[in-house]
């Protein structure tokens, strides 16, 4: 049961990955270790060589599950000798707290010492000597992310400079603990500045940016894609199914009904309060579901094919809670969207814009 997946370069790093990446933030919350290991086994069996995680996972974030996902992956490596060498492993250092003081306290500014210590913790939990792609999960500086619409300079506060953060990454690369570095939830300014500093000071050049990209959030196309194209930085698209909204499973019930299908949007009130829980997001998802069915596709096929076939995307990060979901996501590879269908997608976006930005 293999998949015919090619490999692509990540930026200028030399890392080659499959265009589908297994995201793991459900491991340790919705998915217990035995099931997580089965999913990892199946992904590898089907040709996926790219795994993404983070020190703060599982999600929803809680003190008692912080680091649980990395620990589960580390146990998978330990129980399957040789598997570590078959995959490209990505993880992330968390930015400032955002209500998670159990990580590094409320005053974290992503200093050099914090980045180095975070990496050491990830290496221990992952039971590996090197992280292939080490990413800054979200900026330490004040930026409009996770559903915020506007940049407000009055909210700026002290934090480690981008130069200091990049120097910490350089230290980890020199020590052989990290192969390449990346960003996440970044802006065009941030990507430009990280690349400029790397070139000016001989520091590691960011290979990737991991940002949301899906039918309900195409803000990457509002300038970040141009930045990444010209600077040779690859996009890792997360939430291609918009936390399940774009699978069509909530079309009939919504996310609040007692009979809503199981899934993170129905299970967790904290998720309902985020951008994916906006009524406009579900309303627009229903429009895309109807469009998919009109063209003989499932909503999942449409949403994933949109990401899989876009020139902006190097690798699409899929998150699953079962083998059936994993197979469905992998089976969508190779689905093509006609010019007529792409035009209809753009018409919905023009009308609804990006309701889950």
């Amino acid at each position: 049961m293999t998949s015919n997946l090619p490999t692509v370069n990540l930026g200028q790093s030399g890392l080659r990955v499959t265009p589908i990446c297994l995201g793991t933030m459900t491991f340790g919350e919705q998915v217990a270790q035995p099931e997580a290991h089965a999913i990892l086994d199946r992904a590898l069996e089907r040709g996926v060589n790219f795994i993404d995680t983070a020190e703060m996972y599982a999600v929803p974030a809680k003190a008692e599950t912080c680091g649980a996902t990395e620990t589960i992956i580390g146990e998978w490596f330990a129980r399957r000798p040789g598997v570590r060498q078959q995959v490209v492993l990505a993880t992330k250092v968390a930015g400032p707290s955002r209500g998670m003081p159990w990580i590094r306290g409320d005053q974290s500014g992503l200093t050099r010492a914090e980045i180095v210590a975070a990496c050491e913790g990830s290496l221990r939990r992952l039971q590996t000597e090197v992280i292939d792609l080490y990413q800054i999960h979200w900026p330490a500086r004040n930026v409009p992310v996770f559903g915020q619409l506007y940049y407000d300079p009055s909210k700026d506060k002290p934090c480690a400079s981008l130069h200091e953060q990049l120097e910490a990454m350089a230290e980890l690369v020199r020590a052989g603990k990290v192969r390449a570095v990346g960003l996440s939830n970044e802006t065009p300014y941030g990507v430009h500045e990280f690349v400029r500093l790397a070139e000016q000071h001989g520091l590691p050049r960011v290979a990737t940016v991991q940002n949301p990209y899906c039918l309900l959030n195409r803000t990457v196309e509002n300038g970040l894609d141009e930045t990444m194209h010209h600077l040779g930085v690859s996009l890792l698209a997360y939430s291609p199914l918009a936390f399940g909204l774009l699978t069509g499973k909530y079309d009939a019930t919504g996310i609040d009904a007692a009979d809503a299908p199981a899934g993170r949007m129905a299970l967790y009130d904290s998720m309902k309060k985020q951008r994916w829980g906006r009524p406009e997001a579900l309303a627009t998802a229903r429009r895309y579901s109807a469009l998919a069915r009109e063209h003989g596709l499932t909503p999942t096929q449409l949403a994933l094919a949109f990401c899989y076939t876009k020139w902006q995307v190097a690798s699409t990060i899929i998150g699953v809670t079962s083998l059936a979901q994993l197979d469905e996501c992998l089976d969508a590879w190779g689905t093509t969207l006609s010019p007529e269908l792409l035009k209809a997608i753009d018409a919905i976006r023009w009308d609804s814009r990006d309701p889950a930005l």
Side-chain angles (χ1 to χ4, degrees):
M1 190 190 292
T2 59
S3 296
N4 186 26
L5 295 175
T7 57
V8 297
N9 286 315
L10 290 184
Q12 300 177 11
S13 68
L15 296 176
R16 289 193 65 84
V17 303
T18 46
I20 301 176
C21 172
L22 181 63
T24 59
M25 72 180 187
T26 60
F27 296 179
E29 176 63 36
Q30 290 174 266
V31 183
Q33 180 165 296
E35 291 74 26
H37 286 185
I39 289 170
L40 287 160
D41 288 340
R42 178 71 64 84
L44 190 64
E45 175 190 347
R46 294 206 54 182
V48 174
N49 81 337
F50 193 16
I51 300 170
D52 179 71
T53 188
E55 66 167 339
M56 63 158 279
Y57 292 168
V59 171
K62 296 183 291 189
E64 55 268 33
T65 58
C66 182
T69 305
E70 289 186 329
T71 298
I72 287 171
I73 295 170
E75 283 298 305
W76 183 63
F77 289 145
R79 297 179 187 191
R80 288 157 177 77
V83 161
R84 173 66 187 92
Q85 289 69 42
Q86 298 178 47
V87 300
V88 175
L89 176 63
T91 192
K92 313 178 200 75
V93 51
S97 175
R98 297 190 65 248
M100 294 176 285
W102 53 83
I103 297 181
R104 272 178 295 280
D106 283 321
Q107 304 305 314
S108 168
L110 217 55
T111 64
R112 174 207 152 277
E114 288 172 331
I115 291 172
V116 171
C119 182
E120 296 285 0
S122 288
L123 289 167
R124 285 193 299 272
R125 289 186 293 272
L126 289 164
Q127 300 191 50
T128 188
E129 295 181 355
V130 62
I131 294 163
D132 297 307
L133 179 66
Y134 198 44
Q135 306 153 98
I136 295 174
H137 206 154
W138 58 87
R141 68 188 193 283
N142 164 43
V143 292
V145 291
F146 303 117
Q148 299 176 53
L149 186 56
Y150 301 114
Y151 169 63
D152 181 355
S154 70
K155 294 182 179 179
D156 288 354
K157 60 181 181 180
C159 65
S161 68
L162 302 191
H163 192 183
E164 179 180 343
Q165 294 169 46
L166 203 52
E167 284 186 320
M169 292 293 202
E171 180 178 331
L172 294 169
V173 171
R174 287 193 299 269
K177 297 175 181 179
V178 167
R179 289 200 170 96
V181 303
L183 306 170
S184 186
N185 300 293
E186 253 305 352
T187 67
Y189 164 79
V191 177
H192 269 283
E193 191 65 2
F194 270 104
V195 170
R196 183 188 71 81
L197 289 166
E199 293 179 344
Q200 180 178 346
H201 299 283
L203 298 170
R205 201 178 193 281
V206 295
T208 58
V209 177
Q210 182 179 148
N211 272 28
Y213 186 64
C214 65
L215 291 171
L216 300 184
N217 184 339
R218 293 172 59 178
T219 51
V220 162
E221 295 172 304
N222 296 345
L224 183 58
D225 56 352
E226 179 188 15
T227 292
M228 298 176 75
H229 171 69
H230 288 297
L231 297 181
V233 177
S234 296
L235 175 65
L236 307 180
Y238 79 72
S239 295
L241 295 174
F243 275 42
L245 296 186
L246 289 169
T247 66
K249 67 178 170 182
Y250 300 118
D251 286 357
T253 64
I255 60 176
D256 294 310
D259 61 343
R264 68 190 74 167
M265 291 305 300
L267 291 172
Y268 304 109
D269 288 339
S270 60
M271 297 294 180
K272 296 175 184 179
K273 296 174 184 177
Q274 296 179 21
R275 51 190 162 173
W276 313 106
R278 293 173 185 155
E280 298 88 348
L282 180 57
T284 305
R286 286 173 170 143
R287 295 182 66 182
Y288 286 119
S289 293
L291 179 65
R293 295 180 181 115
E294 288 170 13
H295 287 261
L297 300 172
T298 66
T300 298
Q301 286 174 320
L302 176 70
L304 290 177
F306 174 78
C307 288
Y308 290 168
T309 57
K310 293 290 278 189
W311 69 262
Q312 288 93 338
V313 180
S315 191
T316 300
I317 302 173
I318 56 171
V320 303
T321 57
S322 69
L323 291 175
Q325 287 182 356
L326 175 64
D327 285 336
E328 182 181 14
C329 291
L330 294 176
D331 289 344
W333 177 259
T335 301
T336 58
L337 306 180
S338 68
E340 175 192 10
L341 183 48
L342 290 169
K343 185 176 180 181
I345 287 172
D346 282 344
I348 293 176
R349 194 215 181 185
W350 183 257
D351 186 50
S352 298
R353 301 301 165 133
D354 297 305
L357 61 74

